[in-house]
Amino acid sequence: RVRAPTVQRMHSHRLRSSLSKAAATSPPDYPLEKRWTAVPPANAVHLSIGAVYVYSMWTPGLTTCLGVVGSAPLDWGVAEVLPVFSTAAVTLGVTTSVLGSWVEKAGPRLAG
């Protein structure tokens, strides 16, 4: 029979390994007022991943930085800005495919 984790067992387990997957999972009786502490790290992860997806919104700003309304002679061109997006997209894809299964096994605290 499997017992549900309790706060007391979670605290004793955290002393052994605070980076384990079990230590990153809240038991059912965990106080609700403390659950908000998971929100800032989750938002940081979503912002870093989402930065690749909103890159097209930044391209006009990067290519008209000095010219504001239109391109100025010293502004970056799209051809100069595109490799940055390509690098970010490829890095996101490779790290997700390579490290995704490890994060599932190890847990978010050890991975983060």
Side-chain angles (χ1 to χ4, degrees):
R1 187 177 118 171
V2 177
R3 295 186 305 175
T6 64
V7 173
Q8 286 180 337
R9 277 193 279 155
M10 285 301 292
H11 286 300
S12 67
H13 187 271
R14 285 185 187 182
L15 293 176
R16 286 184 280 152
S17 175
S18 61
L19 298 177
S20 70
K21 187 173 183 178
T25 306
S26 297
D29 60 342
Y30 195 74
L32 290 176
E33 58 272 2
K34 292 185 179 181
R35 290 182 185 248
W36 70 269
T37 57
V39 174
N43 282 337
V45 168
H46 286 290
L47 287 173
S48 65
I49 293 170
V52 174
Y53 296 109
V54 300
Y55 198 84
S56 61
M57 291 176 50
W58 298 342
T59 302
L62 290 170
T63 57
T64 58
C65 185
L66 299 174
V68 182
V69 178
S71 292
L74 294 176
D75 280 338
W76 292 320
V78 174
E80 294 168 319
V81 175
L82 188 60
V84 177
F85 167 75
S86 299
T87 303
V90 167
T91 302
L92 175 65
V94 168
T95 56
T96 301
S97 65
V98 171
L99 297 176
S101 60
W102 174 71
V103 171
E104 287 294 321
K105 291 178 205 167
R109 287 192 181 188
L110 185 60

